[in-house]
Amino acid sequence: MTVASTRDPVDKSYRKMVAGMDRFKREHALAPQAALRFELLPRLPSTQLDGITLRVAGDTLSLPVAVAPDHTFALERNAQALKEDAALIASSKTSTLTWRARVRSPGVPANMRRLGDLRLECKVGVQAGLLSNNAQLFAWLGELFTDPDRVCGTPQGNYLFFSERPLFAVTLHDGARSEALPFDMLYAGGTQTPATLPFCDCQVLLDRSFYAPLWDRSWSDDTLLELHYQDDPPGPADTAVADDHRSMQQMQAALGPASVVRFDSGYQAWRYRYPSLAQAKDGAPRYADFVILFGPDGMARKARLSDRL
């Protein structure tokens, strides 16, 4: 018996993608003014997104899918593709790509994301089977990766979002309420190692990755997440770094070893934790994060203290 071709096990299922589109329609109230597109992101340093092509391939059909210059695309509904359980196939190996749903409400500033949009992105993305690190190694986790309500409705879901540029901090704004996103919700939790990165969608996007409090309904859908980028100048919320603490060597000599997240760009985020004067709602101890961003030259670019010590 001769097999003419086989599908890559991580090609995207057309049926699942359409199921994600159906989910978007059902829960459109999360982002009533937004449209749905899907987005391609790099998974490896060698990934080239410009010029990439997509097609829906089944047993008897092959339908081209237009990819916009920003590497986003929309899918048309096709009964024959559904019947044949077609796959969405990219001209680049699927293992070199990360896929996401893209939901953007009009009028949101370029450096902000709306929480309702992110909630809907997560539900559509999980329903569409876009998580690209779950097929084999994590298959035993079952529903943790395939149930949108579990992934998007609990703190353990850990659905990653990606900013346009490397991040330094994220601040949530909901009416008069503002709060910094904890450091644990940046950079894929700050716990990735060279051994674990190949299994993370953030493999080459670590400095652009963040989680959002999708499950916390005390933040409304209209909450805006303000993204503060690494290459932004220091802002009003940032902490001045003293001249005698400006280098990595000086900082370590003064404060001791830090938890360090290293990026491919040569930048590093150093984190120190201290007891905070504030108390958590349940009365448990609360900690303040002192985070310093160092450039490739080993000098501090800016710093931020999350709470009073």
Side-chain angles (χ1 to χ4, degrees):
M1 178 177 68
T2 301
V3 179
S5 64
T6 59
R7 293 179 183 172
D8 187 317
V10 286
D11 284 338
K12 299 307 173 188
S13 163
Y14 179 77
R15 284 180 180 172
K16 287 184 179 180
M17 298 285 283
V18 171
M21 294 159 59
D22 291 339
R23 186 90 187 213
F24 177 82
K25 290 181 65 176
R26 291 198 305 272
E27 305 208 34
H28 201 190
L30 289 169
Q33 304 301 317
L36 171 65
R37 292 184 69 80
F38 296 100
E39 182 176 20
L40 298 173
L41 294 165
R43 183 69 182 267
L44 299 176
S46 58
T47 303
Q48 296 293 324
L49 295 181
D50 291 339
I52 202 167
T53 61
L54 294 175
R55 63 188 176 96
V56 175
D59 297 327
T60 67
L61 84 168
S62 180
L63 305 174
V65 177
V67 180
D70 64 355
H71 313 125
T72 66
F73 63 94
L75 280 182
E76 299 290 335
R77 294 174 184 268
N78 184 283
Q80 189 65 24
L82 285 170
K83 180 180 178 181
E84 296 183 8
D85 192 16
L88 183 62
I89 299 175
S91 56
S92 177
K93 288 185 178 180
T94 311
S95 58
T96 69
L97 302 172
T98 287
W99 308 64
R100 284 293 185 274
R102 183 182 177 97
V103 177
R104 298 287 192 277
S105 291
V108 177
N111 68 325
M112 293 188 177
R113 295 297 315 276
R114 181 179 173 277
L115 188 57
D117 296 3
L118 299 180
R119 285 174 169 142
L120 191 50
E121 276 189 11
C122 180
K123 291 190 175 187
V124 172
V126 177
Q127 192 79 59
L130 298 186
L131 295 181
S132 57
N133 60 347
N134 67 325
Q136 295 169 341
L137 182 66
F138 300 114
W140 59 276
L141 288 173
E143 289 185 354
L144 182 60
F145 280 104
T146 59
D147 182 350
D149 295 317
R150 288 190 63 182
V151 174
C152 309
T154 65
Q156 292 76 32
N158 290 344
Y159 186 89
L160 276 176
F161 298 97
F162 300 105
S163 61
E164 297 294 328
R165 290 152 46 202
L167 282 172
F168 176 59
V170 178
T171 306
L172 290 86
H173 303 282
D174 190 8
R177 179 187 179 192
S178 291
E179 189 173 306
L181 202 65
F183 184 83
D184 289 338
M185 296 180 71
L186 300 176
Y187 315 134
T191 60
Q192 296 295 324
T193 67
T196 62
L197 267 177
F199 305 107
C200 181
D201 281 352
C202 63
Q203 189 169 358
V204 296
L205 301 172
L206 183 63
D207 55 3
R208 292 168 47 184
S209 64
F210 65 98
Y211 299 119
L214 309 177
W215 63 90
D216 187 349
R217 298 308 305 188
S218 70
W219 295 101
S220 75
D221 290 333
D222 288 325
T223 297
L224 293 177
L225 283 76
E226 182 181 6
L227 309 179
H228 308 273
Y229 298 112
Q230 292 183 7
D231 57 0
D232 288 338
D238 294 328
T239 302
V241 178
D243 288 340
D244 59 354
H245 286 61
R246 195 160 295 278
S247 73
M248 291 181 181
Q249 293 82 2
Q250 290 172 320
M251 190 70 69
Q252 184 163 343
L255 302 182
S259 297
V260 180
V261 182
R262 295 176 175 83
F263 308 115
D264 292 341
S265 63
Y267 279 77
Q268 298 183 23
W270 286 29
R271 176 205 200 184
Y272 293 94
R273 298 192 76 197
Y274 302 99
S276 171
L277 292 178
Q279 290 290 314
K281 293 179 181 179
D282 59 3
R286 182 169 169 172
Y287 293 90
D289 286 327
F290 181 46
V291 179
I292 311 99
L293 179 70
F294 287 99
D297 59 357
M299 303 299 290
R301 295 293 196 268
K302 50 188 171 183
R304 180 167 291 201
L305 183 65
S306 62
D307 286 309
R308 291 180 302 157
L309 302 181

